[in-house]
Amino acid sequence: MTDSSNLANLLALFAIIPLCAAGGSLLIPRFQLLPRLHTHSLAALLAGIVNLILALWLMARTVQGTNLVLHVGGHHGPFGIVLVADVFSALLLLLTAVIYLGTVPFAIDVLDQRDRMGFYPLSLFLLMGVNGTFLAGDLFNLYVFFEILVITSFVLVTLGGQRDQIRGGLRFVVLNLLGSMVFLGAVAVAYGTLGTLNFAHIAVLLRQPNLPAWLVPMMAGLLFVAFAGKSALFPLHFWLPCSYHTTHPVVNALFGGLLTKVGLYSLFRLFPLLFPEQLAAWQPAFLALAGASMVVGTLGGLSGDTLRRALSFQIVSHIGFIFAGLALAGTRNGVLAVGLAPAILYLAHHMVVKTAVLMAGGAIELELQTGRVVPGPDGGTGGLLAHRQWLAIWFFLTALSLAGIPPFSGFTGKLGLLLLMISMEQWLLLAVAVLSSFVTLYMIMRLWQGAFWGAPPPVRNTDGPAAAPTRLGPGFGMLTLTPIAVLVGCSLLMGVFGESAWSVANQAAATLTDVEAYIDSVALAGHLADASH
Amino acid sequence: MLLGSLAILSLSGLILWRTKPETTRQAAWFGAVVPLAVLGWIWRRTVMLDATYHEHWTWLPSFNLDLTFRLDGLSLLFTVIILGIGAAVALYTHYYLEGDPRLGAFYLFLFLFMASMLGIVWSDNVLAFFVFWEGTTFTSYLLIGHGFSATASQRGARNALIVTGGGGLAMLAGFLLLGQATGDWTFSAWNAAPPAGADDMTTAALVLILLGAFTKSGQFPFHFWLPGAMAAPTPASAYLHSATMVKAGIFLVARTHPAFADHPAWLPVLVGFGAVTCAVSGVLAMTKTDLKGMLAYATLAQLGLLFVALGQSGKAALVAAVVGILAHALYKGPLFLSAGMIEHATGTRDIRRLAGQARPLWTVFIIVVASALSLAALPVWGGFLSKEYLLDSLLHLADTAWVAWLGLIGVLIGGTAFAWLAIAFVHRIFLRREPDAAVDRTHRLHPPAATMVAGPMALAVIGFTLPLTLDRWFQPLVQDAVSAISGEVQSVHVHLWGGFNAVFLLSLAALAAGTGAYLLGFRTLRVLHRGVDWVPSGDWLLERSLGLAARGASWISHGLQDLSLTSHISIVLGAAVLVVVLVANRLGSLFNPSDLRIVAESPVALWLEGTILLLSLMAALTVLASNNRLAPIIALSVVGLNVTLFFVLFAAPDLALTQLLVEVLVFVLIILILYKLPAAQPPRLPLGHKIRNIGIACVTGVFGFVLVLLASGRPRFEPISGEMIRATWLDAHGAANVVNVILTDFRGFDTFGEMTVIAIAGIGVYSLVRAYRFRPRRRPASE
């Protein structure tokens, strides 16, 4: 069922609201409203709230099986640009909205004057880019939103202007632009041979007979390289571990939740739709990459010498888990929805929990003024448990979820993937997955222990002459703890009500694999629609 | 009811946590009454039933995970132990940790543990079993880490988590394999229809499940975590690491006994590992001087005995296991709690510094003596009964299986150690006059309060009277438990006395050996100690392997991560080039002339194009040859301008204009930047790097060429641009420029996005410049 009525126009708001809020805060001079609130943060907060309401509305509509399609500017696809929202898009938009709204109070709480410069408008641009990616129904439009993301995140990485930030940011932007170049190459090939850019139209045309034999593997391969790079899948992940931990904790939390997901989204959207047979044909290679990502991400997390570096590097291993689901779903008889569903569940879990754990990790770093909490030869224990009981509790719970311990969402997601691996008889991958879960458990508990156990830090000398500036920002309080608690609560609910989460994931997976419904819903103009039947 | 009990216990924990129990005495009684009340409730509701009690809650059917509870004899035995000892420990804790501000957290973890442990023994669904299993792992971790600033606590908690957490994951994998293979996800289904034979899948699952049981119950070579866990406060050690949690592995083996007992690996593995654990830990127990350390190793040895018993299938062995579980909980719990009271009263736990406490700590003395009778396996107390049945069963088995001899040796060494320990506890702490080492005189002796003694005393009395009550009160419990383990209804009567036979003589021999070793004194032990030091402990092994893992991980991840930017660029480009290489064998049609779009051109155009191409080539070579900064930039601009000329030739004035504008702007900007930079020469690259860079550039060039060739081939379908031109003419009222209409109308949304990109880039430049102008303050060292 498709809804392209006036209500579909609301889809544009997902891009327009962040843009207007960002533009507004750039135009209006910043002034203080309350002790912790000024015009910029207020704009971000309001935009985040409206965005969440919109996302909830969209979820409620699409979960009934209705796809919303907006033909931008009244031009019917494929001549104009279309924005398409189905359950999968709506789910990711909703998670994005939750994560974004969660990081804004954290930012209000801990950003200091210097770091605050430009954060709020830039984060809104980031939100716009992520939202647009999840709605794009057109290859070039997707590329445009990727561009917005790359440039915004580059600026966000370098926000503090530190030497290591610039160094990490350079690598970040160079490698990402290379990926964009490859993406653009794929767009060119698609337009040059098929004469169109619309997803649905490409899907229709790729089924026509007498296509050159190289076309599908070439497009699939180039797009895979581009999207795998965006997702930070091994061996295209290098941009992530060199930049994430150099950013401000707020930026790091936002990135950890949102950035790599656009790549995964694109893989999940386009491979079942356009290249289902390539998923099956390349399955061994894809599984190898997924396994390698698990290993490298886990080991990277283990070797990370600071809290946020370890937590950020570990993202790569989760990407491996999620991608493994996509790779396993490809069979000779088409893409199986039952394979995609656990991966989607894990994706949702990962977004929520990674943001929470990076926020908690950032709060710890701000409190201790160092991220070196891993017990080493030079000591380095935090002993924060005595002062920061609630932070300890929330970080512990996110750690449990991250390590896949019941009853949190990490458990159901991982359980689904492990069952999938067993039913596909991928023993090696199963062993890698279980072992990497084990190492993750050790790694995360070591971090928790390092931060919270050990001798309590000495009371800071605030009036002595040697007293260094004790904090980066004004410390953190409820504005930091509440969002973390809410995200942990989300993870717990997703685990305890795993059956409902599972049914949503299943529905999302079904829309991804139901190619006909997608093509129908986009409602290609005039004579082109006939070609689909 | 069962789920309700779990909720009540968890809620009680939360209440105790938030109400600051260290300030009020009522908390102790509340903590003791709740488990007893729950036990009473369950007892009233279930013992009336003849059949097993079932309870089913749908939770995650899509993951085969439901809360299916099943309360049979085995579960009931454990329920009684968990709640009964739990009540005693909860009462005791308040006095042991008096005034500790983290007492509330301790109670919370203790009650959450209690609920998880009950979940383990009630779960019929294997995945629910895993859920509760992990619950005990993490509550145990937190309880060990109670004194979180001490290094011993941190290490002990970490080791316990690594070993039991890893074992739990292995067990989960085993459950998943077997569940997927059989399609059943409950123990009762597995027991009813044992997985057929010894195929690879069942064997793999069995090994993984046993890995879970062995790690949790501290079997050799995973035994080292348990002594480390003694860093926990004594009540936690008594409860988790002796009476209940470490028996979860035993419970798992007992629970799956009907399903796996016929598997050829079952008997040798369980009896073999159990016997080795029993012997090794027994010897180690005799070399320790810390009271809790001695008890911890004795617990390990006892767990080994239980594995030896459960590896067999005869009724005698199962009776030995059930009586052993019951007796051990009843004597080891009080002994641990007594160790805590002795430490509380005297300020030390070192047996060398203790002597003559019989009079001042007479209540503790009574408890220890009553428990030591069972520990030493004196007839007719619980320890003796269990061992009697076990030896009997092993002697029968010895005719057919060689591993029974190993079991016998293990049991006898363990028995010797137990006897030694019992004598050492009674004599050295309480009866002898002078300690071996100097005593800390500063600690003022204060005998334990009556309420602190009440819990352990109650347990000790029940244990002491067990021979009288075993066949009267406990008979149904033992019988049902044995039936549940064996999978068929058994009629059990425990005989207190089996007569003077080989079994009794063996028991007597162990007792005599223990007494002899004690009389010989410490000199023999010092030899033992030296021998033990020789064996690398698991602790050391774990430490080394963790260090190695960390170094290996660092080597792998940093080794890859710290490569030069050039290498990372070539990996990304290489991936893209690889795609082209992979489809190269299908590119044949590309060179089919009908696929290429060949445009017939005038000779003049051809000449022009040739000239432009030549110019571009020369400019490109200039880039490679030049050694300063300015020349390559000028040369690159020449290449760009040549592209502009191509656009002019192909009648695309808009594009040509745009390209020209961009080229000029970029050129001017770069020159401006260079003007500001110090006029240093760029470093000369070594030849190898040059060759590598040339290689990367050439491969990328070929890649780009192929892409362009593919993109500009003959379109297979009518491109959408045709419709766009038509619409521009008809709908845009004769607008002549289709490019403009595309940019502003058809794809206006894209243009809008790209404009946003430009704006963001502007902000980025602005904020970078500002960040440099205002020198940043010190930031936390985030690497």
Side-chain angles (χ1 to χ4, degrees):
Chain A
M1 207 165 88
T2 316
D3 184 352
S4 48
S5 65
N6 288 338
L7 274 180
N9 284 328
L10 291 178
L11 290 184
L13 288 182
F14 281 104
I16 290 173
I17 287 172
L19 183 78
C20 287
S25 28
L26 288 174
L27 292 176
I28 302 168
R30 187 173 70 212
F31 60 88
Q32 212 75 22
L33 299 168
L34 289 170
R36 317 288 320 247
L37 201 65
H38 53 75
T39 42
H40 282 192
S41 45
L42 182 68
L45 203 58
L46 290 179
I49 291 170
V50 176
N51 186 51
L52 179 64
I53 294 170
L54 265 179
L56 283 169
W57 165 78
L58 187 65
M59 190 74 207
R61 273 200 80 81
T62 52
V63 86
Q64 300 158 355
T66 319
N67 288 5
L68 268 76
V69 177
L70 171 60
H71 300 272
V72 181
H75 296 290
H76 245 262
F79 306 114
I81 293 167
V82 292
L83 297 180
V84 187
D86 57 10
V87 186
F88 186 53
S89 301
L91 177 65
L92 285 169
L93 285 169
L94 181 60
L95 291 166
T96 304
V98 170
I99 288 169
Y100 182 76
L101 196 56
T103 45
V104 171
F106 182 39
I108 293 175
D109 211 14
V110 302
L111 278 183
D112 76 352
Q113 198 63 33
R114 182 177 52 80
D115 292 311
R116 195 146 53 198
M117 205 159 50
F119 169 78
Y120 294 104
L122 283 167
S123 73
L124 284 164
F125 283 128
L126 190 79
L127 178 66
M128 173 188 171
V130 175
N131 279 349
T133 307
F134 294 155
L135 287 172
D138 180 288
L139 213 48
F140 189 76
N141 195 231
L142 184 67
Y143 172 81
V144 169
F145 282 113
F146 272 23
E147 288 294 282
I148 294 182
L149 280 176
V150 171
I151 192 76
T152 313
S153 37
F154 173 61
V155 180
L156 279 171
V157 169
T158 57
L159 205 57
Q162 304 285 307
R163 183 180 287 273
D164 57 339
Q165 288 181 323
I166 309 266
R167 199 185 295 137
L170 181 71
R171 208 169 271 230
F172 176 95
V173 78
V174 167
L175 295 177
N176 267 299
L177 283 180
L178 273 179
S180 295
M181 194 192 83
V182 176
F183 187 5
L184 207 54
V187 173
V189 170
Y191 189 73
T193 49
L194 301 174
T196 191
L197 294 168
N198 184 291
F199 292 164
H201 198 196
I202 295 175
V204 171
L205 294 183
L206 282 181
R207 290 190 212 164
Q208 306 298 319
N210 300 328
L211 287 174
W214 52 265
L215 181 61
V216 167
M218 181 67 117
M219 273 178 68
L222 291 179
L223 286 178
F224 174 73
V225 171
F227 296 149
K230 272 276 172 293
S231 324
L233 191 73
F234 176 85
L236 303 173
H237 66 281
F238 298 108
W239 58 270
L240 190 153
C242 70
S243 59
Y244 270 33
H245 65 286
T246 66
T247 61
H248 190 278
V250 178
V251 177
N252 199 351
L254 205 55
F255 279 12
L258 299 182
L259 216 50
T260 52
K261 309 327 166 264
V262 296
L264 282 175
Y265 167 84
S266 309
L267 286 170
F268 273 72
R269 168 66 68 203
L270 288 184
F271 268 77
L273 182 65
L274 304 181
F275 322 111
E277 65 282 2
Q278 293 303 318
L279 267 184
W282 291 344
Q283 194 182 53
F286 281 177
L287 288 179
L289 291 182
S293 298
M294 293 180 199
V295 172
V296 168
T298 311
L299 291 179
L302 193 60
S303 71
D305 37 13
T306 68
L307 191 64
R308 285 196 291 132
R309 193 183 151 104
L311 291 174
S312 302
F313 211 144
Q314 205 254 333
I315 293 174
V316 176
S317 117
H318 280 178
I319 302 294
F321 271 99
I322 298 164
F323 182 66
L326 177 65
L328 286 171
T331 64
R332 302 264 165 227
N333 307 322
V335 182
L336 298 177
V338 70
L340 290 181
I344 292 172
L345 196 61
Y346 201 77
L347 174 65
H349 145 76
H350 163 77
M351 288 174 75
V352 169
V353 171
K354 205 72 211 191
T355 312
V357 82
L358 280 169
M359 276 163 74
I364 294 167
E365 283 202 11
L366 292 174
E367 179 78 15
L368 290 174
Q369 301 189 47
T370 173
R372 297 186 179 277
V373 297
V374 179
D378 54 341
T381 47
L384 277 182
L385 189 55
H387 308 296
R388 291 292 192 180
Q389 191 193 10
W390 284 103
L391 183 63
I393 292 171
W394 300 128
F395 189 32
F396 188 77
L397 296 182
T398 54
L400 290 186
S401 187
L402 203 68
I405 302 302
F408 291 92
S409 55
F411 174 63
T412 44
K414 200 165 279 184
L415 188 61
L417 284 172
L418 293 181
L419 283 170
L420 183 65
M421 288 169 197
I422 292 176
S423 61
M424 298 280 172
E425 310 202 333
Q426 296 291 343
W427 306 124
L428 186 62
L429 193 66
L430 179 74
V432 168
V434 171
L435 278 177
S436 104
S437 301
F438 172 51
V439 177
T440 303
L441 171 71
Y442 165 58
M443 177 212 86
I444 189 82
M445 277 306 146
R446 191 173 64 148
L447 293 179
W448 186 83
Q449 206 165 313
F452 292 102
W453 285 0
V459 177
R460 293 202 183 98
N461 181 9
T462 44
D463 47 20
T470 49
R471 291 178 199 280
L472 179 73
F476 68 89
M478 291 308 285
L479 283 179
T480 300
L481 289 175
T482 314
I484 299 176
V486 168
L487 291 177
V488 172
C490 286
S491 169
L492 187 64
L493 289 179
M494 275 162 60
V496 172
F497 298 101
E499 205 59 31
S500 313
W502 174 251
S503 80
V504 172
N506 246 326
Q507 217 172 333
T511 59
L512 282 179
T513 49
D514 192 350
V515 178
E516 297 306 325
Y518 184 86
I519 294 173
D520 281 350
S521 71
V522 173
L524 298 169
H527 60 284
L528 294 166
D530 306 332
S532 68
H533 293 299
Chain B
M1 172 187 71
L2 298 182
L3 194 63
S5 314
L6 299 186
I8 290 173
L9 288 172
S10 310
L11 203 64
S12 310
L14 283 171
I15 292 172
L16 280 171
W17 175 46
R18 294 317 290 169
T19 51
K20 303 226 169 297
E22 64 272 16
T23 57
T24 154
R25 297 253 133 174
Q26 280 82 1
W29 291 106
F30 178 74
V33 165
V34 169
L36 286 181
V38 170
L39 180 60
W41 188 30
I42 292 170
W43 190 264
R44 260 184 63 91
R45 285 286 301 274
T46 55
V47 172
M48 312 295 167
L49 296 169
D50 270 341
T52 42
Y53 178 86
H54 290 272
E55 200 171 301
H56 182 86
W57 301 88
T58 306
W59 184 16
L60 300 170
S62 304
F63 300 92
N64 312 308
L65 171 49
D66 284 322
L67 294 181
T68 313
F69 294 133
R70 187 165 173 275
L71 196 63
D72 59 5
L74 182 64
S75 311
L76 198 61
L77 172 72
F78 272 90
T79 306
V80 170
I81 293 176
I82 293 163
L83 288 171
I85 298 186
V89 166
L91 183 62
Y92 174 95
T93 300
H94 193 275
Y95 301 93
Y96 183 80
L97 290 177
E98 67 190 336
D100 187 329
R102 299 195 63 246
L103 179 63
F106 187 90
Y107 268 125
L108 173 66
F109 302 147
L110 194 74
F111 274 77
L112 288 180
F113 166 79
M114 211 183 283
S116 310
M117 192 66 209
L118 287 173
I120 287 184
V121 300
W122 292 343
S123 290
D124 193 22
N125 181 293
V126 291
L127 295 180
F129 182 90
F130 170 78
V131 170
F132 292 114
W133 183 279
E134 292 298 75
T136 62
T137 299
F138 280 93
T139 42
S140 155
Y141 169 76
L142 291 168
L143 285 171
I144 299 171
H146 179 80
F148 60 89
S149 51
T151 321
S153 301
Q154 294 182 34
R155 274 180 57 129
R158 188 200 63 183
N159 289 356
L161 184 73
I162 292 173
V163 175
T164 57
L169 276 174
M171 183 188 77
L172 174 66
F175 284 163
L176 292 180
L177 286 180
L178 204 59
Q180 201 83 331
T182 60
D184 285 319
W185 296 89
T186 55
F187 289 121
S188 49
W190 290 358
N191 289 344
D199 59 303
D200 289 348
M201 184 72 100
T202 313
T203 310
L206 176 62
V207 168
L208 288 168
I209 292 172
L210 283 185
L211 208 55
F214 279 8
T215 48
K216 197 81 164 180
S217 289
Q219 292 303 288
F220 185 85
F222 306 110
H223 60 286
F224 59 91
W225 74 263
L226 188 59
M230 290 301 133
T234 303
S237 308
Y239 189 42
L240 276 73
H241 307 123
S242 170
T244 55
M245 188 184 88
V246 289
K247 294 223 182 72
I250 303 285
F251 178 82
L252 175 60
V253 169
R255 191 34 99 219
T256 52
H257 194 275
F260 291 126
D262 292 333
H263 194 283
W266 182 263
L267 173 77
V269 169
L270 285 184
V271 173
F273 277 96
V276 170
T277 309
C278 187
V280 170
S281 327
V283 171
L284 282 170
M286 292 195 278
T287 65
K288 298 293 158 189
T289 54
D290 174 25
L291 294 182
K292 278 177 78 178
M294 297 161 83
L295 291 173
Y297 280 105
T299 303
L300 287 172
Q302 175 69 35
L303 293 171
L305 284 184
L306 292 174
F307 273 111
V308 171
L310 286 170
Q312 308 163 49
S313 304
K315 193 166 93 174
L318 300 185
V319 171
V322 170
V323 175
I325 290 167
L326 191 62
H328 180 244
L330 285 173
Y331 75 73
K332 196 58 71 59
L335 281 178
F336 259 112
L337 296 177
S338 302
M341 287 190 281
I342 291 164
E343 183 193 8
H344 201 74
T346 65
T348 182
R349 244 167 36 198
D350 189 339
I351 199 166
R352 288 168 302 183
R353 297 177 196 281
L354 289 164
Q357 300 292 353
R359 196 175 299 271
L361 300 180
W362 62 273
T363 46
V364 182
F365 181 53
I366 294 173
I367 296 172
V368 169
V369 170
S371 310
L373 296 173
S374 188
L375 169 66
L378 282 174
V380 291
W381 280 281
F384 169 79
L385 295 176
S386 163
K387 219 159 285 167
E388 200 80 337
Y389 273 93
L390 183 56
L391 287 170
D392 183 37
S393 166
L394 279 173
L395 280 176
H396 280 104
L397 189 69
D399 300 335
T400 51
W402 60 268
V403 77
W405 291 107
L406 194 62
L408 273 177
I409 296 171
V411 172
L412 289 179
I413 295 179
T416 309
F418 289 168
W420 184 92
L421 270 184
I423 301 170
F425 258 67
V426 173
H427 178 242
R428 296 179 70 196
I429 301 175
F430 296 101
L431 297 180
R432 66 174 174 171
R433 298 270 163 78
E434 283 303 314
D436 307 312
V439 181
D440 177 16
R441 300 281 173 201
T442 56
H443 188 93
R444 207 167 58 80
L445 189 91
H446 59 287
T451 33
M452 192 179 188
V453 180
M457 184 65 91
L459 294 179
V461 168
I462 297 174
F464 185 74
T465 54
L466 192 65
L468 297 174
T469 55
L470 191 58
D471 225 23
R472 228 170 273 166
W473 297 354
F474 286 97
Q475 194 268 343
L477 201 58
V478 173
Q479 174 167 320
D480 288 355
V482 171
S483 307
I485 298 176
S486 68
E488 53 208 41
V489 177
Q490 307 268 11
S491 131
V492 176
H493 285 281
V494 183
H495 303 289
L496 296 185
W497 180 249
F500 284 101
N501 50 22
V503 174
F504 182 71
L505 286 179
L506 280 177
S507 292
L508 220 54
L511 199 60
T515 319
Y518 187 76
L519 289 177
L520 277 175
F522 267 88
R523 198 155 310 152
T524 42
L525 288 180
R526 220 167 284 138
V527 178
L528 267 181
H529 208 138
R530 230 171 276 148
V532 170
D533 273 352
W534 242 73
V535 185
S537 74
D539 195 19
W540 178 83
L541 269 179
L542 183 75
E543 204 65 37
R544 286 302 297 265
S545 42
L546 287 182
L548 271 179
R551 218 175 312 149
S554 162
W555 184 70
I556 290 176
S557 59
H558 280 287
L560 283 175
Q561 194 54 41
D562 297 345
L563 292 175
S564 67
L565 180 58
T566 322
S567 313
H568 284 171
I569 290 175
S570 28
I571 289 174
V572 176
L573 286 175
V577 171
L578 188 68
V579 173
V580 177
V581 172
L582 281 178
V583 296
N585 62 337
R586 303 188 185 181
L587 282 178
S589 63
L590 185 65
F591 303 104
N592 182 353
S594 70
D595 269 7
L596 287 174
R597 186 162 47 173
I598 299 173
V599 185
E601 287 183 321
S602 65
V604 182
L606 274 181
W607 270 106
L608 275 174
E609 283 169 24
T611 317
I612 296 170
L613 206 63
L614 205 64
L615 271 173
S616 306
L617 259 179
M618 282 164 60
L621 288 175
T622 316
V623 174
L624 287 183
S626 63
N627 264 334
N628 62 3
R629 279 173 174 157
L630 203 56
I633 290 164
I634 298 175
L636 270 180
S637 300
V638 173
V639 176
L641 290 175
N642 279 324
V643 174
T644 313
L645 287 179
F646 264 114
F647 286 140
V648 173
L649 273 183
F650 284 95
D654 314 65
L655 291 181
L657 208 60
T658 316
Q659 176 81 11
L660 190 68
L661 216 60
V662 170
E663 283 299 330
V664 172
L665 256 178
V666 167
F667 179 72
V668 170
L669 277 178
I670 294 180
I671 294 294
L672 274 178
I673 293 168
L674 281 187
Y675 177 74
K676 285 273 184 187
L677 285 179
Q681 289 291 317
R684 296 192 68 90
L685 285 176
L687 187 65
H689 282 208
K690 265 192 179 165
I691 292 174
R692 183 188 62 173
N693 291 354
I694 290 174
I696 295 172
C698 287
V699 171
T700 314
V702 172
F703 167 70
F705 174 74
V706 173
L707 267 194
V708 170
L709 207 57
L710 293 179
S712 58
R714 186 169 59 84
R716 265 37 182 206
F717 308 98
E718 190 204 343
I720 53 173
S721 56
E723 167 69 14
M724 286 172 167
I725 294 172
R726 194 194 60 79
T728 307
W729 275 106
L730 297 182
D731 304 341
H733 305 291
N737 191 332
V738 69
V739 174
N740 284 355
V741 177
I742 288 176
L743 284 179
T744 56
D745 194 351
F746 285 116
R747 304 197 67 95
F749 198 52
D750 284 346
T751 314
F752 153 81
E754 291 294 353
M755 279 158 56
T756 313
V757 172
I758 307 285
I760 300 165
I763 303 171
V765 172
Y766 175 73
S767 77
L768 269 183
V769 169
R770 287 225 350 180
Y772 271 113
R773 187 167 299 165
F774 307 112
R775 283 317 305 173
R777 283 192 283 138
R778 200 173 65 81
R779 271 175 59 88
S782 53
E783 230 271 348

